[in-house]
Amino acid sequence: MSFCHRDIARVARKQMKFEIERAKRTGFCFGVKRAIDIVTRAANENGHVETLGAVVHNEQVMQKLEKTGVSTVKEIDDIKGKLVITSSHGVSPEVEEKIRASGIEIVSTICSDVRRAQMAAKRLADEGYFVIVYGDGNHPEVKGIMGWVKDKGLATTNEKDIADLAIRPKRIGVLSQTTQAATEYAVFAQKVVALSLQRDAEIRILDTICHDLRDRQATTLELARRVDLMLVVGGRHSANTNHLANLSSKIVNTHLIETATEINPDWLEGCRRVGVASGSSTAEETIAEVITCLKDLSG
């Protein structure tokens, strides 16, 4: 079975030849695998379960879970059953309280690294720090983290938002969304320090980036430096996949794809070596399909 672009016959006549190399770290991370195992087990035991939002940001994985009896709801009021599964990205304490107040049991699939970031944010806020979370304020993980600091913090990737604060806090704690690029977080943290230095100022910077993703970023960049084209496989709504693609694109021509069917043969013309990397919520079978397609295209 071919998973390739419909123009494979046209490309085959060109007799393209290139090597294919896979990044050292691909497929599910521990947290995603654990979340999927929990959801699958719950669906098998109950026949049908609901998740509040996508458990992981990968459409192919969610479609596969739907076939086992998993459905996704967007709002608490949409929950029909007496049990709901919350995502690996975590939720705020307010969301948990509202669910329990409705008499609904919660099964959490929160990643341990996300939980660590939540507790770090809470600890900083409890100790009187203004908490700055380096991340996308609209992402479920960041919303969950911010729920633990309430009005004592700010989520941003732009240091100018700190400069624009009406009153500059003297005690600042900085942490990161777990899926951010480590190098970019380091630059941001340096800018926060430069902006925040004032008399008696106190600044704490915490490393809350997932170490699996840190290694994944490093191996992806290592591969990007020795290929002519990189394909990063993963969901377009996946923060860590997008960061991988953005980092790789600074080194070599890079395309983010969700499945093998999105591969455009024209990308491969003139390539001698093609690299394949993936986000942490991308299934092995999806990566295998991409590699099979590339082998077909290479003849």
Side-chain angles (χ1 to χ4, degrees):
M1 178 180 180
S2 174
F3 305 95
C4 284
H5 192 281
R6 62 181 177 273
D7 291 336
I8 186 171
R10 171 179 64 81
V11 177
R13 289 196 294 271
K14 295 184 179 181
Q15 296 183 329
M16 289 193 300
K17 289 287 184 182
F18 51 83
E19 296 179 8
I20 304 160
E21 187 173 350
R22 179 172 172 162
K24 292 178 182 177
R25 190 180 287 270
T26 57
F28 293 155
C29 67
F30 170 81
V32 168
K33 185 178 184 305
R34 173 181 171 275
I36 292 171
D37 287 346
I38 291 172
V39 175
T40 302
R41 185 166 58 251
N44 290 338
E45 291 174 355
N46 296 277
H48 172 263
V49 292
E50 296 167 289
T51 68
L52 183 60
V55 175
V56 296
H57 286 163
N58 186 284
E59 186 176 343
Q60 290 69 43
V61 171
M62 293 306 298
Q63 287 174 352
K64 190 172 181 179
L65 287 174
E66 284 176 14
K67 294 177 181 178
T68 68
V70 178
S71 61
T72 303
V73 298
K74 292 184 178 180
E75 305 292 340
I76 295 172
D77 293 340
D78 297 330
I79 301 171
K80 296 181 176 63
K82 291 298 180 182
L83 180 148
V84 71
I85 298 176
T86 54
S87 86
S88 59
H89 304 108
V91 294
S92 69
E94 287 80 7
V95 169
E96 288 187 1
E97 289 168 10
K98 186 175 180 180
I99 293 172
R100 291 196 175 95
S102 301
I104 299 170
E105 180 185 352
I106 298 173
V107 175
S108 174
T109 66
I110 187 171
C111 168
S112 57
D113 284 320
V114 175
R115 185 62 173 170
R116 182 168 59 88
Q118 288 183 343
M119 293 300 95
K122 179 182 184 300
R123 187 168 61 252
L124 287 170
D126 288 347
E127 293 174 4
Y129 290 89
F130 183 83
V131 182
I132 297 171
V133 179
Y134 178 68
D136 175 4
N138 293 317
H139 191 281
E141 178 190 323
V142 177
K143 288 181 177 180
I145 294 172
M146 292 303 297
W148 290 92
V149 305
K150 299 181 180 178
D151 59 349
K152 299 178 182 177
L154 168 70
T156 184
T157 56
N158 189 338
E159 70 281 358
K160 291 181 180 178
D161 291 335
I162 301 161
D164 291 341
L165 289 172
I167 300 175
R168 197 77 56 81
K170 286 202 170 186
R171 302 186 79 204
I172 292 177
V174 186
L175 56 91
S176 176
Q177 180 180 352
T178 63
T179 54
Q180 289 289 330
T183 52
E184 293 174 1
Y185 174 50
V187 171
F188 175 82
Q190 289 174 348
K191 290 179 179 178
V192 172
V193 171
L195 277 170
S196 305
L197 284 180
Q198 55 182 309
R199 188 184 177 114
D200 299 327
E202 182 181 351
I203 304 168
R204 290 187 62 185
I205 298 172
L206 305 183
D207 174 14
T208 51
I209 292 178
C210 167
H211 284 259
D212 176 277
L213 292 179
R214 191 190 297 273
D215 292 344
R216 195 176 295 252
Q217 290 167 6
T219 58
T220 296
L221 292 179
E222 177 190 11
L223 178 56
R225 293 186 181 97
R226 58 174 184 271
V227 298
D228 304 301
L229 173 74
M230 279 290 293
L231 298 180
V232 178
V233 188
R236 285 191 171 78
H237 297 296
S238 163
N240 76 85
T241 304
N242 276 281
H243 288 310
L244 275 185
N246 289 337
L247 288 170
S248 176
S249 68
K250 295 175 182 179
I251 297 173
V252 70
N253 185 21
T254 300
H255 294 278
L256 190 161
I257 60 172
E258 290 196 346
T259 66
T261 59
E262 297 178 20
I263 296 174
N264 185 337
D266 292 339
W267 299 341
L268 303 164
E269 290 187 29
C271 291
R272 294 173 298 172
R273 187 172 295 149
V274 176
V276 178
S278 88
S280 63
S281 55
T282 307
E284 285 291 341
E285 63 183 282
T286 303
I287 302 165
E289 288 169 5
V290 167
I291 291 174
T292 297
C293 178
L294 289 172
K295 287 179 179 177
D296 289 345
L297 289 168
S298 182

